[in-house]
Amino acid sequence: MSDGIRHEWPLFEVFVRAKRGLNHVHVGSLRAADHGMALQHARDLYTRRNEGVSIWVVRSDDVVASDPDDKAAYFEPSADKVYRHPTYYAIPESVPHI
Amino acid sequence: MAFDDAYGALTDHDDDARWAYGTGFTDPLAGVPSGLPDGVDRADLTAYCLMLGDDALVMSHRLQQWVTRAPELEDELALANIGLDLLGQARLLLTRAGEAEGAGRDEDALAYGRDPGEFRNVRLAERADADFAHLMARLLVFATWRLALFDRLAGSSDQMLAAIAAKGVKELTYHRDYAAQWVVRLGDGTALSHERMAAAVTAVLPLVEELFQPHEVELRLTAAGVAVDPAALRPEFDAVLTQVLAAATIEAGPVRAVAAGTGRGGEHTEALTEILAELQQLARAVPGGSW
Amino acid sequence: MTGEEIFADTIARDQRVEPRDWMPDGYRQTLIRQIAQHAHSEIIGMQPEGEWITRAPSLRRKAILLAKVQDEAGHGLYLYSAAETLGADRGDLTQRLIEGRQKYSSIFNYPTLSFADVGVIGWLVDGAAICNQVPLCRSSFGPYARAMIRICKEESFHQRQGYELLMTMMGGTPEQRDMVQDAVDRWWWPSLMMFGPPDADSPNSARSMAWKIKRHSNDELRQRFVDMSVPQAEALGVTLPDPELRWNAEREHYDFGTPDWSELQRVITGDGPLNRQRIARRRQADSDGAWVREAAAAYAEKQRSAGNGSGR
């Protein structure tokens, strides 16, 4: 290459919806010069076997992630909110449809 | 996880939908009647299927030659997909040619057993690519032309040809889009890529004229409702190409068509001889071999 | 808990480490090296079989082989993807490969002399790779484990297509049967070497096992592979080229001879039949493609500055 530096395409994260009714799930990443190319590459790379009906691509540097160090502060406070779960409530067996 | 059986070991992941894994596949021609339409000349239908099948077989061969040589790994996958699509089209069309001929030749007998003069592909398909720009220029022209053709062929009175074309339309739409995006990127990219893309277009355009010259078989079968008259495809082709080249900032200069016969008539360049030497070498070296 | 304690606890409880978690530097470096080598192997591994795509003797075999070699490019990409979650850069890893600073599996430095080699690579080389890879689906690093699950799932057809090709050829002409036996003779020992040096000479293995990056020792996997392959060879009607190969009822395993470790060492250090050609091809593709990649980047940049969103 002319200036001895590799001109890398940016990294994109790829999400595929396997079939209607399901969430898009993260399947991996790839490199592309722009979003259009990223979609084509995602189609060629991640749906060779009938894997999906829809693809999202997102620039990896646009993803904002929670810090694992914040795990306790972020997620543990919800652990004791037992009243959010249906099994917390005692209903007699004889009551139907609830 | 089970260890002795690599396949069994994978079955404890039964949540495939969550993982977006692939599912099974479907036979695109399931249930399509394979009988010949009434009043169609067998020899004509055979020749026509060979024309369309050879286009795909030879173009696919050129794409196969790019394996491990693509400009980026993602494009390895794209080029292989396009090569596989075209190979699939070739297999269906050669099989159909064999059925129409009725002499017991299958796809392999037709692919491996014919000499260059018996191939009916357009010369555009056999041309070697000097670089990635040449491949993209050629693929753009090929896919744009073939898509326009298959779009109409999907209404053929030969139901098998119609089904093959309908399947091919989806594939060719993607091929055309992929090539068009690259032609635009290279044309409007760097000064170097513009120069190479323009040179590639200049090199490929002389082979365009031949695509729209009807062979007598095509004319007879068009009249019978089986085939498509290639001359009718020209306006759509020109519109697409003009649009893509404009976006690519490439001006096509005056074009002089390549003379001396047509591939449809069995007249080819040395490029086809080289392709067939490679394609057929092993199959011919082991007569009666089972693969 | 400190990051270090969380890491130790995650490993101890057999849970997955994720990219943004704290991890020891040695763990990160070991993984980057292992995943990169694995990715490089997939990409270089396209070449020996890729040679036969244009020459495949039937259109069905041609389609199978093209799809298989394409899968290898895809698997290389999945793995580079996993390495990039650790902060590695694919371009940099590619540079290391083409400058010979990072390795790939030595098996791909052997030539494919006949079409039977395509079958034997599927059967033995992919078979050995599957033995290696299935346990990696439980590797402690999440992105690596997930990539391996996808790869193993997709590769399940690779070994079968190879074995099926060999079965078909064994039912063909005498010349074809000779081709198969010749290919088996050439690939058997290199396949055994794919599991790496004997445990006693594999100093890094213990640490990788402690970190649960690896799950089984080299010798353990090699034994499994031999035990799996012998009945398959019998069913096929070929002879494995090892006079010491025999069932040991006491161990309930096959005994087998010792691979030529000095040959492996020479191939690893660059004196295999095709080391230079394999790297040269990869380097050529990379440099031939440089102007294309630059052009795409330049075009995307123009679109961005012209206000066309992000180059959509």
Side-chain angles (χ1 to χ4, degrees):
Chain A
M1 201 166 298
S2 43
D3 53 9
I5 299 167
R6 285 186 61 96
H7 294 263
E8 285 301 320
W9 292 339
L11 203 57
F12 288 80
E13 301 300 321
V14 181
F15 301 79
V16 171
R17 183 200 295 286
K19 58 181 177 190
R20 298 182 73 85
L22 293 176
N23 289 322
H24 284 78
V25 295
H26 184 241
V27 291
S29 62
L30 52 75
R31 289 195 175 263
D34 53 45
H35 284 89
M37 190 197 277
L39 271 180
Q40 281 189 338
H41 285 164
R43 177 261 193 196
D44 286 318
L45 179 56
Y46 288 106
T47 67
R48 300 196 301 288
R49 289 176 168 77
N50 225 359
E51 285 90 340
V53 295
S54 163
I55 299 173
W56 289 346
V57 291
V58 180
R59 280 275 300 247
S60 304
D61 49 18
D62 285 340
V63 173
V64 182
S66 63
D67 188 329
D69 291 344
D70 292 337
K71 182 168 164 272
Y74 263 58
F75 306 115
E76 284 172 23
S78 69
D80 66 348
K81 309 292 193 294
V82 64
Y83 41 80
R84 285 197 174 113
H85 296 269
T87 48
Y88 178 66
Y89 304 96
I91 307 284
E93 295 262 340
S94 53
V95 181
H97 307 309
I98 187 165
Chain B
M1 183 174 288
F3 190 79
D4 291 328
D5 171 4
Y7 312 108
L10 297 170
T11 54
D12 57 347
H13 304 276
D14 50 4
D15 48 358
D16 284 5
R18 187 174 71 79
W19 280 83
Y21 287 135
T23 57
F25 65 97
T26 46
D27 176 2
L29 301 183
V32 179
S34 63
L36 304 189
D38 290 339
V40 167
D41 184 77
R42 276 181 176 270
D44 278 357
L45 183 58
T46 306
Y48 189 59
C49 291
L50 286 178
M51 291 173 182
L52 300 181
D54 289 346
D55 288 340
L57 182 65
V58 171
M59 186 71 186
S60 175
H61 190 93
R62 284 293 181 211
L63 285 156
Q64 291 158 33
Q65 290 177 328
W66 276 86
V67 171
T68 72
R69 293 178 170 87
E72 188 50 288
L73 293 176
E74 280 86 353
D75 292 293
E76 284 286 348
L77 282 116
L79 296 179
N81 266 347
I82 296 170
L84 276 169
D85 286 345
L86 291 174
L87 180 57
Q89 292 178 13
R91 295 180 63 192
L92 297 174
L93 286 160
L94 294 185
T95 300
R96 186 60 175 160
E99 285 169 4
E101 186 186 49
R105 289 203 284 183
D106 63 6
E107 58 179 40
D108 288 332
L110 289 166
Y112 295 94
R114 285 178 299 146
D115 290 330
E118 298 171 81
F119 271 70
R120 290 289 174 265
N121 59 281
V122 293
R123 286 175 295 180
L124 172 77
E126 67 204 40
R127 194 175 200 284
D129 303 298
D131 60 23
F132 189 68
H134 280 73
L135 176 65
M136 287 302 105
R138 220 160 51 80
L139 184 63
L140 175 66
V141 168
F142 183 85
T144 303
W145 165 69
R146 193 171 174 88
L147 176 58
L149 200 167
F150 273 38
D151 221 5
R152 288 160 181 79
L153 193 62
S156 169
S157 62
D158 180 356
Q159 294 191 56
M160 192 56 85
L161 262 188
I164 293 170
K167 173 179 185 288
V169 163
K170 298 173 205 157
E171 297 165 346
L172 293 161
T173 303
Y174 180 80
H175 305 172
R176 186 180 72 171
D177 192 36
Y178 175 82
Q181 285 203 27
W182 267 117
V183 168
V184 171
R185 277 187 206 111
L186 295 178
D188 193 18
T190 62
L192 174 65
S193 72
H194 177 84
E195 188 186 311
R196 290 188 174 171
M197 197 64 241
V201 168
T202 304
V204 167
L205 285 183
L207 292 161
V208 166
E209 195 58 40
E210 181 190 332
L211 307 180
F212 302 98
Q213 284 174 22
H215 186 272
E216 57 185 34
V217 164
E218 289 171 302
L219 290 177
R220 281 198 299 272
L221 286 180
T222 302
V226 171
V228 174
D229 176 0
L233 312 172
R234 190 76 203 235
E236 180 180 331
F237 175 88
D238 284 343
V240 173
L241 214 68
T242 305
Q243 193 192 347
V244 174
L245 292 183
T249 70
I250 288 176
E251 281 181 48
V255 175
R256 298 176 57 156
V258 172
T262 62
R264 291 286 188 248
E267 288 144 317
H268 295 284
T269 61
E270 282 170 12
L272 183 68
T273 313
E274 287 161 26
I275 287 173
L276 295 187
E278 192 179 30
L279 178 84
Q280 298 173 337
Q281 168 200 17
L282 174 58
R284 290 187 176 199
V286 187
S290 328
W291 311 99
Chain C
M1 284 201 286
T2 65
E4 195 164 358
E5 285 162 353
I6 294 173
F7 175 82
D9 184 56
T10 305
I11 299 286
R13 288 192 296 132
D14 220 357
Q15 294 196 330
R16 300 290 166 267
V17 177
E18 294 297 340
R20 293 169 58 89
D21 293 340
W22 184 91
M23 61 187 82
D25 202 46
Y27 178 84
R28 183 185 300 275
Q29 296 312 324
T30 300
L31 269 170
I32 290 178
R33 201 188 61 235
Q34 181 175 335
I35 299 173
Q37 286 185 7
H38 198 158
H40 298 331
S41 301
E42 295 282 357
I43 299 304
I44 296 293
M46 296 167 69
Q47 291 183 29
E49 290 168 286
E51 301 293 330
W52 288 94
I53 294 173
T54 54
R55 292 181 285 167
S58 79
L59 297 185
R60 174 171 173 267
R61 288 293 168 199
K62 187 187 286 285
I64 291 170
L65 192 54
L66 180 53
K68 186 190 171 207
V69 171
Q70 180 196 37
D71 269 352
E72 281 155 13
H75 297 168
L77 279 176
Y78 300 162
L79 289 162
Y80 283 126
S81 234
E84 291 197 290
T85 66
L86 288 159
D89 175 272
R90 197 215 296 176
D92 174 57
L93 298 177
T94 302
Q95 207 62 36
R96 285 167 191 265
L97 169 67
I98 61 189
E99 287 170 6
R101 288 185 288 135
Q102 258 174 356
K103 307 285 184 207
Y104 54 90
S105 179
S106 289
I107 192 86
F108 301 119
N109 289 321
Y110 292 87
T112 42
L113 301 179
S114 85
F115 198 71
D117 290 38
V118 169
V120 171
I121 287 179
W123 172 39
L124 293 179
V125 176
D126 292 338
I130 289 171
C131 279
N132 266 327
Q133 289 172 355
V134 166
L136 291 175
C137 295
R138 296 179 64 213
S139 168
S140 60
F141 185 58
Y144 190 29
R146 290 191 289 273
M148 288 319 305
I149 291 173
R150 189 171 286 276
I151 289 171
C152 286
K153 191 115 183 152
E154 296 187 351
E155 282 201 346
S156 54
F157 98 79
H158 292 186
Q159 194 190 16
R160 281 169 187 242
Q161 65 81 30
Y163 194 78
E164 187 218 52
L165 169 61
L166 297 177
M167 285 199 305
T168 310
M169 289 182 69
M170 289 301 284
T173 66
E175 184 190 353
Q176 286 186 296
R177 283 192 285 281
D178 291 346
M179 283 165 82
V180 174
Q181 183 62 55
D182 170 63
V184 170
D185 290 346
R186 284 182 289 109
W187 288 94
W188 172 251
W189 290 108
S191 301
L192 289 190
M193 295 188 211
M194 284 176 71
F195 297 94
D199 294 346
D201 303 329
S202 184
N204 296 327
S205 280
R207 198 172 62 160
S208 285
M209 302 243 311
W211 277 334
K212 296 182 181 169
I213 295 175
K214 277 181 73 159
R215 291 283 182 159
H216 300 274
S217 79
N218 295 352
D219 287 334
E220 196 183 348
L221 291 165
R222 193 168 5 250
Q223 180 71 61
R224 295 275 183 173
F225 175 69
V226 172
D227 291 348
M228 281 163 70
S229 299
V230 172
Q232 292 168 353
E234 282 167 10
L236 196 57
V238 294
T239 312
L240 297 174
D242 179 358
E244 294 174 47
L245 190 66
R246 65 179 55 84
W247 178 250
N248 182 327
E250 199 176 314
R251 289 202 309 128
E252 297 202 326
H253 288 295
Y254 284 94
D255 290 337
F256 56 98
T258 308
D260 181 354
W261 296 118
S262 65
E263 175 183 309
L264 177 66
Q265 207 46 48
R266 292 203 323 275
V267 177
I268 288 178
T269 51
D271 293 331
L274 290 172
N275 295 48
R276 283 171 199 81
Q277 288 91 326
R278 298 291 189 231
I279 290 295
R281 167 75 69 83
R282 184 72 193 95
R283 187 187 302 122
Q284 187 73 43
D286 191 67
S287 65
D288 285 352
W291 69 276
V292 176
R293 297 193 299 272
E294 275 177 53
Y299 175 77
E301 188 50 43
K302 276 188 204 177
Q303 293 297 105
R304 263 191 294 277
S305 48
N308 291 355
S310 36
R312 242 168 257 253

